[in-house]
Amino acid sequence: MIRAELNKRSPLRVFEKSIHGGLGKGNIGVIASRHGIGKTACLVHMATDKLFRDEHVIHISFSQNVNHVIAWYEDIFKEISTKRELEAAMDVHDNIIKNRVIMNFSQDNISVEQIIRSLKTMIEDGGFKADSIFFDGYKMTTVEHDAVERLKEFAKNMDVELWFSVSPVLDGVDFDEYGVPETLANIEDVVDVLIGMKYDGEEIVMTVVKDHGEANPSQMAIKLDPKTMLISRL
Amino acid sequence: MAEFTNMRNIGISAHIDSGKTTLSERILYYCNRIHSIHEVRGKDGVGATMDSMELEKERGITIASAATNVTWKGVDINIIDTPGHVDFTIEVERSLRVLDGAILVLCSVGGVQSQSITVDRQMKRYNVPRVAFINKCDRTGADPFKVTSQLRDKLGHNAVMMQIPIGLEDRLEGVVDLITMKAVYFDGPSGDDVRYEEIPAELQDLAEEKREVMLDAISMFSDELMEAMLEGEISEEMIHEAVRIGTLSLDLTPVYMGSAYKNKGVQSLMDAVLKYLPNPTEVENIALDLDADEAEIKVSAGNEKKTVSLAFKLEDGQYGQLTYIRIYQGKIKKGDELYNTRSRKKFKVGRLIKMHASSMEDILEAGSGDIAALFGVDCASGDTFCHPSLNYSMTSMFVPNPVITLAIDPIDKKAADSMAKALNRFTKEDPTFRTYVDPESNQTIVQGMGELHLEVYIERMKREYGAEVETGQPQVAYREAISKRAEFNYTHKKQTGGSGQYARVAGFIEPNEEENYEFVNKIKGGSIPNEYIPSCDKGFQSAMVKGTLIGFPIVNVRASINDGQYHAVDSSDQAFQTASLNAFRDAYTRAKPIILEPIMKVNVEGPTEFQGNIFASINQRRGIIISSAEDGMFCTVEADVPLSEMFGYSTILRSLTQGKAEYTMEVNKYGKVPQSVSEELKKAYEDKRKAESSKK
Ligand SMILES: Nc1nc2c(ncn2[C@@H]2O[C@H](COP(=O)(O)OP(=O)(O)OP(=O)(O)O)[C@@H](O)[C@H]2O)c(=O)[nH]1
Ligand SMILES: [Mg+2]
């Protein structure tokens, strides 16, 4: 399959459809669930889909080691390209990873200011015109409301869309029926799109809990396949 | 000859400037090989013993690895101190090739740095078990706990602290040994006197906690220990045994710490070398039997067996021409006859010696597992010397391709002669240093791994051979390649006076990802007679030496022939070579040739406040930022940048960051140059050719 065809058939088209054509620049999207459901895989697939469409992506992680993140991208790329029998896969690979930067913050309790400062530096001094930024495992449930507002302002100023994967920092937190931790309520008003992920005993169900201000939960026609860790059609 | 169990061959490898040479100096001193300690760049101006080359002492860096022999507690240890700078990576590569174990040195502040990652990869390549030594614990910001977790996270080691520090930075006093649960201090001006005491009260809890972690981690290597732990009766022996098993299988990296400079912790590290690193019988080595289709043969220590040894390093130093060898099997005696399986020549062993730091000792024989040196043997680095009845080759080591070239001109006739001698010597010593004469400009070109690498050889040429040369601008070693298949059908025909020349070849060339070059013969029915097939192969290969785009070697081609024609009288080897060469060049222009350039993996480390400048400097160099990692005050940026854009980067980076950032780089891959650059290169080549032909 050639790249254009692959993009057309991507399950992410279904994803976008269920949130009115996509998140959109200047907006904040959150994917929330318990730990260990596969949010990283989900984010990496979303980011890879953007890369396949020649968009520029920054991936932010808060771990010790960027190599793990790179390995995720390699795995997901390989899954997609083999599954779809992508033509000239190596060329495509080399071409799209040019448009990806990984930024890692390993110090504890890094401030939102510092993250925003570093991102601006990357975009302005590094000349990296990001279209979207993916935050893997950001502590959304414990940050100040104000911090999220600042991120939103940043998204608007820089004309980027921001996606976050979020699990609760503390133990003993309750989750709603869609897999969203209650502790997220504090900042929910700043979030434009909220998606919950939940294991229902058979598969990982994805629900649009909030869609550009509309709070009318509906299950998406996609799921996360636990075998390949890819987003796929139901 | 020592008992095998009383022998170790170890290397010391690490990132630049982490203190390998300083550590080696301590080891020499504690083993009574030298009587006083001299520092790298020390005030006494003597310089470290292992950095014996004048240039090394002046610059305070190690350029060539040095082998030395010491005795620690009755065990005979061959130690190789290796350079940290990537330009000399082949030195590390070949040392690790012949070593059985290694000390991975890390800076307690810098932690796992880019070169630590490279060195670690090399250690894995040759299956070398290692112990880690976290050095410079006396420096401000020292954090051996952080470095240990980096060993786990960044290198994926099962790194386990065998000690904890007593005090850190300027209060570093010693270490707590988590096996004996004793505090260890190193008294006296040079730390000679090792004193054991009770653990300071304030460290008792931490020591117990870390001991538990250590025991937990190592218990998986020994059922005996696991049981003993349940019963609460653990002996030191059990712990040693478990650590040893884990280390030898590369599943465990025991971590030691201290400060070489402040003479702390070195003796404990040496004890660990004896206890946990393998003796020569405990590592597997493979040779290829050249008489049996390169079948793999295990070689193993045993002095009664037939000799197999590897020449891993050549040195033309203060004592004359030395060849360092590692004996894998059998022994070598003065007067023995050995067979060099590459040159297929026999030679007699003359002087046989053992190196001790800067002195040497004549010996009569050396046994399996040992490292020794021969005098005056004509060979190249990497040659295998066997008993004359064997035809083995030790599996080769990984040799990276040179990426930078430099034109050099001797200043006069005398310099030209000495230069030729020097080049002949250096290229034999160092497989990453190459040289050739450009047929068009008639200039001598040298190639190497980086600016520093070439600079060092130019300087050595002057100092050691009195050869002064003028140098051009360093240039990137570009390559040419084809991007699509193209057919050829070429007839070479010449009728001049007597016998003529005739040959026709037909076939195609196509891109070849796997190899630099492959020749495929698809001729059926003898349209080209068998005797001329090798001539076609040769003709293609000579066409690939120099591409027609910008005059650099062509790589990654498969050339196939499927038809042709010959003439009973006028065909010859030469005619088919010429026909093939021209056929290749003709097809080449139609095969959409492209220019490839070395792309470097660049790693910049510096204070976060300069992040913007660092990003910008990479962006301006056609670089692609792969990642940027921030850890409080420090950030590390990893990027792919074309080598051609990196000349002079150190000066620029220094000025951009007030000298506070550092970078390292190594070849990552060859990548296609962008259109605009390609046009520039082609034009420059055209101009150069025109200028040269108008000169003639
Ligand atoms: N504070 C402190 N400085 C040290 C220590 N060990 C080495 N140094 C200093 O660090 C610098 C580099 O030390 P070397 O021993 O030359 O390092 P190296 O790893 O051999 O360097 P290359 O061979 O060039 O890669 C020298 O100035 C040493 O004096 C230490 O334990 N503490
Ligand atoms: Mg050194």
Side-chain angles (χ1 to χ4, degrees):
Chain A
M1 191 182 286
I2 59 166
R3 183 163 151 193
E5 183 70 17
L6 183 146
N7 284 338
K8 214 159 87 192
R9 294 218 216 152
S10 166
L12 271 301
R13 300 296 80 75
V14 180
F15 188 116
E16 286 165 354
K17 221 163 151 191
S18 43
I19 53 171
H20 288 96
L23 177 59
K25 294 198 167 171
N27 291 335
I28 287 186
V30 168
I31 297 185
S33 75
R34 285 176 186 278
H35 277 291
I37 289 275
K39 288 184 310 299
T40 299
C42 186
L43 274 198
V44 170
H45 191 177
M46 289 164 68
T48 303
D49 185 78
K50 301 256 185 211
L51 291 170
F52 266 117
R53 289 187 296 159
D54 281 330
E55 290 188 27
H56 288 62
V57 167
I58 296 176
H59 181 110
I60 295 188
S61 72
F62 299 91
S63 63
Q64 282 297 325
N65 186 346
V66 293
N67 290 340
H68 296 324
V69 181
I70 294 179
W72 264 115
Y73 275 88
E74 293 300 319
D75 286 351
I76 296 279
F77 181 87
K78 212 157 131 211
E79 283 291 345
I80 298 175
S81 59
T82 16
K83 186 170 153 195
R84 300 285 193 193
E85 294 176 2
L86 177 65
E87 277 175 37
M90 267 333 280
D91 286 345
V92 174
H93 176 271
D94 291 352
N95 271 321
I96 68 174
I97 57 166
K98 285 182 191 161
N99 299 336
R100 178 201 73 200
V101 166
I102 292 158
M103 294 181 72
N104 190 70
F105 299 93
S106 56
Q107 66 265 51
D108 294 332
N109 299 318
I110 178 148
S111 67
V112 158
E113 286 77 32
Q114 181 59 44
I115 296 177
I116 291 179
R117 202 176 317 134
S118 293
L119 277 171
K120 269 199 172 137
T121 310
M122 177 64 73
I123 294 170
E124 286 164 0
D125 298 317
F128 189 84
K129 304 272 166 280
D131 297 293
S132 41
I133 302 175
F134 291 84
F135 293 72
D136 191 16
Y138 189 58
K139 297 174 179 171
M140 265 312 195
T141 53
T142 49
V143 291
E144 299 289 319
H145 192 270
D146 178 51
V148 187
E149 276 175 54
R150 235 150 334 137
L151 283 164
K152 179 122 171 189
E153 197 181 297
F154 164 79
K156 291 226 178 319
N157 289 340
M158 304 303 276
D159 202 28
V160 289
E161 58 176 60
L162 307 184
W163 277 104
F164 295 82
S165 75
V166 176
S167 286
V169 181
L170 306 168
D171 290 338
V173 168
D174 286 333
F175 292 84
D176 70 11
E177 54 186 311
Y178 313 113
V180 179
E182 313 262 79
T183 40
L184 206 61
N186 172 37
I187 52 118
E188 230 183 274
D189 59 311
V190 203
V191 172
D192 300 282
V193 171
L194 175 61
I195 288 163
M197 272 171 50
K198 195 179 170 192
Y199 184 60
D200 73 352
E202 268 172 46
E203 46 200 20
I204 294 160
V205 178
M206 299 174 71
T207 311
V208 182
V209 180
K210 184 176 167 188
D211 176 9
H212 296 96
E214 238 171 81
N216 184 15
S218 60
Q219 193 184 334
M220 297 171 104
I222 49 172
K223 60 173 186 203
L224 192 71
D225 181 339
K227 259 214 303 288
T228 57
M229 286 307 226
L230 291 181
I231 297 171
S232 46
R233 285 160 213 266
L234 281 187
Chain B
M1 285 177 284
E3 289 280 329
F4 296 135
T5 48
N6 278 339
M7 257 171 134
R8 299 288 181 277
N9 294 307
I10 62 161
I12 303 184
S13 307
H15 190 80
I16 316 162
D17 260 8
S18 45
K20 300 176 290 294
T21 305
T22 307
L23 175 64
S24 312
E25 189 79 3
R26 278 14 176 223
I27 296 177
L28 290 175
Y29 174 78
Y30 297 131
C31 294
N32 295 322
R33 270 296 166 197
I34 53 174
H35 302 298
S36 60
I37 292 171
H38 297 288
E39 302 299 349
V40 174
R41 292 189 206 102
K43 287 201 191 71
D44 60 9
V46 178
T49 315
M50 295 288 255
D51 283 350
S52 57
M53 213 187 290
E54 208 184 305
L55 204 57
E56 294 181 317
K57 290 186 191 290
E58 273 175 35
R59 299 200 175 199
I61 55 167
T62 305
I63 293 168
S65 52
T68 192
N69 175 267
V70 298
T71 310
W72 179 249
K73 299 189 176 167
V75 177
D76 206 31
I77 310 177
N78 291 306
I79 296 182
I80 300 188
D81 173 30
T82 64
H85 200 288
V86 241
D87 280 20
F88 310 110
T89 192
I90 188 70
E91 292 284 318
V92 182
E93 196 80 35
R94 63 174 151 210
S95 304
L96 292 174
R97 171 71 186 77
V98 298
L99 290 170
D100 302 325
I103 302 174
L104 176 62
V105 182
L106 300 142
C107 170
S108 69
V109 183
V112 171
Q113 291 165 287
S114 58
Q115 264 310 99
S116 328
I117 298 173
T118 311
V119 167
D120 182 63
R121 197 163 57 225
Q122 290 172 316
M123 289 183 184
K124 284 193 181 124
R125 179 144 62 220
Y126 299 108
N127 273 322
V128 179
R130 59 273 196 227
V131 297
F133 182 68
I134 303 178
N135 190 31
K136 301 197 183 182
C137 284
D138 60 308
R139 274 187 60 188
T140 313
D143 188 350
F145 300 95
K146 182 187 86 185
V147 179
T148 306
S149 67
Q150 287 182 351
L151 275 169
R152 299 177 148 270
D153 294 330
K154 291 196 179 171
L155 295 182
H157 283 211
N158 183 12
V160 176
M161 287 178 122
M162 305 302 292
Q163 305 174 323
I164 56 170
I166 305 178
L168 275 175
E169 306 184 339
D170 55 352
R171 297 218 194 95
L172 176 73
E173 287 179 53
V175 295
V176 174
D177 177 346
L178 299 178
I179 298 181
T180 57
M181 288 303 266
K182 287 271 187 258
V184 193
Y185 299 97
F186 306 85
D187 294 340
S190 304
D192 298 67
D193 305 319
V194 184
R195 175 167 55 93
Y196 298 90
E197 300 283 347
E198 291 307 311
I199 300 174
E202 70 277 13
L203 285 177
Q204 188 68 38
D205 286 354
L206 181 64
E208 268 161 31
E209 179 198 323
K210 292 293 173 190
R211 178 182 159 95
E212 280 311 306
V213 173
M214 183 263 293
L215 289 175
D216 252 5
I218 65 168
S219 61
M220 59 181 287
F221 301 109
S222 156
D223 292 343
E224 194 195 8
L225 177 64
M226 187 112 56
E227 276 165 34
M229 277 169 68
L230 293 174
E231 284 155 22
E233 304 227 346
I234 310 166
S235 75
E236 287 177 21
E237 262 327 296
M238 288 175 193
I239 300 181
H240 291 317
E241 193 48 30
V243 176
R244 189 175 153 74
I245 295 169
T247 308
L248 291 190
S249 61
L250 271 76
D251 293 318
L252 179 76
T253 307
V255 178
Y256 292 80
M257 58 205 60
S259 161
Y261 188 66
K262 291 281 163 76
N263 309 312
K264 295 203 189 319
V266 178
Q267 293 96 324
S268 313
L269 173 68
M270 291 302 288
D271 289 343
V273 165
L274 299 200
K275 288 205 184 82
Y276 311 133
L277 290 182
N279 71 52
T281 62
E282 290 169 309
V283 280
E284 187 174 279
N285 283 292
I286 302 286
L288 304 177
D289 187 349
L290 301 177
D291 288 338
D293 227 0
E294 307 208 341
E296 291 192 355
I297 309 267
K298 248 188 236 173
V299 288
S300 56
N303 291 332
E304 69 296 344
K305 296 181 184 165
K306 286 182 176 170
T307 311
V308 180
S309 62
L310 174 73
F312 65 95
K313 184 175 161 58
L314 272 56
E315 193 179 281
D316 201 4
Q318 51 202 118
Y319 306 110
Q321 188 187 315
L322 279 179
T323 303
Y324 287 82
I325 51 166
R326 157 83 200 246
I327 306 168
Y328 287 97
Q329 179 172 295
K331 61 181 175 186
I332 292 183
K333 272 205 323 279
K334 216 177 145 155
D336 272 356
E337 188 168 70
L338 288 177
Y339 177 59
N340 179 336
T341 59
R342 180 193 54 90
S343 66
R344 303 190 190 176
K345 280 191 189 122
K346 286 182 199 159
F347 65 92
K348 257 211 163 62
V349 176
R351 267 179 86 188
L352 187 66
I353 60 157
K354 225 162 187 184
M355 293 300 296
H356 306 298
S358 52
S359 67
M360 60 188 189
E361 175 195 349
D362 275 89
I363 52 173
L364 293 176
E365 58 178 8
S368 293
D370 214 348
I371 288 176
L374 303 172
F375 254 107
V377 176
D378 182 29
C379 66
S381 135
D383 285 1
T384 307
F385 303 153
C386 292
H387 183 273
S389 68
L390 294 181
N391 191 13
Y392 289 177
S393 164
M394 290 306 294
T395 43
S396 60
M397 54 197 155
F398 175 78
V399 179
N401 277 318
V403 288
I404 137 169
T405 73
L406 184 69
I408 54 176
D409 276 313
I411 53 164
D412 53 27
K413 175 77 179 59
K414 196 176 138 281
D417 292 344
S418 332
M419 179 185 87
K421 250 187 240 152
L423 289 179
N424 181 32
R425 186 69 212 164
F426 294 155
T427 47
K428 270 191 186 163
E429 284 182 13
D430 179 350
T432 59
F433 179 71
R434 300 186 195 162
T435 174
Y436 65 93
V437 175
D438 184 323
E440 275 160 27
S441 64
N442 222 356
Q443 259 181 329
T444 301
I445 310 286
V446 290
Q447 297 187 304
M449 299 308 297
E451 283 178 282
L452 181 63
H453 190 208
L454 294 183
E455 207 180 301
V456 161
Y457 277 119
I458 304 290
E459 188 64 31
R460 283 185 62 190
M461 241 186 259
K462 190 159 111 195
R463 292 189 187 198
E464 294 167 29
Y465 291 83
E468 259 194 76
V469 298
E470 272 162 13
T471 60
Q473 283 296 317
Q475 232 207 343
V476 166
Y478 291 102
R479 309 257 177 92
E480 299 185 19
I482 55 176
S483 54
K484 78 186 238 292
R485 177 185 146 125
E487 313 263 342
F488 55 79
N489 186 349
Y490 188 91
T491 309
H492 173 65
K493 205 162 156 189
K494 221 172 196 175
Q495 202 53 262
T496 42
S499 69
Q501 288 186 28
Y502 182 86
R504 181 171 75 86
V505 290
F508 55 91
I509 55 175
E510 62 192 330
N512 175 6
E513 292 284 329
E514 290 92 53
E515 286 172 283
N516 265 350
Y517 170 73
E518 190 188 352
F519 173 72
V520 183
N521 173 17
K522 293 184 176 164
I523 300 276
K524 290 202 192 83
S527 53
I528 298 178
N530 274 340
E531 56 180 307
Y532 296 134
I533 301 291
S535 318
C536 300
D537 186 1
K538 256 196 218 151
F540 294 142
Q541 291 197 44
S542 55
M544 287 181 60
V545 171
K546 202 166 173 179
T548 47
L549 278 188
I550 55 163
F552 278 89
I554 302 170
V555 294
N556 298 6
V557 174
R558 185 179 302 109
S560 308
I561 47 171
N562 51 26
D563 196 13
Q565 213 170 347
Y566 73 107
H567 184 277
V569 182
D570 289 346
S571 282
S572 64
D573 167 46
Q574 191 52 51
F576 272 98
Q577 280 198 41
T578 311
S580 304
L581 180 127
N582 290 331
F584 189 105
R585 290 213 170 131
D586 165 54
Y588 185 65
T589 50
R590 278 176 280 115
K592 284 220 167 140
I594 51 170
I595 302 169
L596 303 175
E597 62 182 342
I599 308 283
M600 311 303 283
K601 175 124 291 170
V602 178
N603 222 290
V604 191
E605 285 180 7
T608 309
E609 50 177 312
F610 297 114
Q611 205 178 35
N613 289 352
I614 297 173
F615 286 162
S617 71
I618 288 168
N619 186 29
Q620 284 151 11
R621 293 186 159 60
R622 291 198 279 129
I624 293 164
I625 299 172
I626 305 292
S627 68
S628 135
E630 273 176 46
D631 177 7
M633 299 298 292
F634 265 84
C635 72
T636 307
V637 182
E638 190 181 299
D640 282 351
V641 190
L643 176 62
S644 59
E645 306 281 343
M646 289 300 290
F647 291 119
Y649 187 61
S650 46
T651 320
I652 290 167
L653 185 66
R654 225 176 290 136
S655 72
L656 284 176
T657 62
Q658 299 169 8
K660 288 184 186 148
E662 280 177 22
Y663 84 99
T664 57
M665 63 176 181
E666 64 183 306
V667 189
N668 181 24
K669 59 179 180 199
Y670 269 78
K672 190 179 161 187
V673 303
Q675 194 62 34
S676 59
V677 180
S678 166
E679 293 307 324
E680 270 171 42
L681 288 170
K682 280 193 243 174
K683 183 159 181 310
Y685 182 60
E686 279 292 296
D687 292 349
K688 189 175 139 217
R689 281 177 48 127
K690 271 191 204 132
E692 267 156 21
S693 63
S694 68
K695 242 193 280 171
K696 280 176 195 165

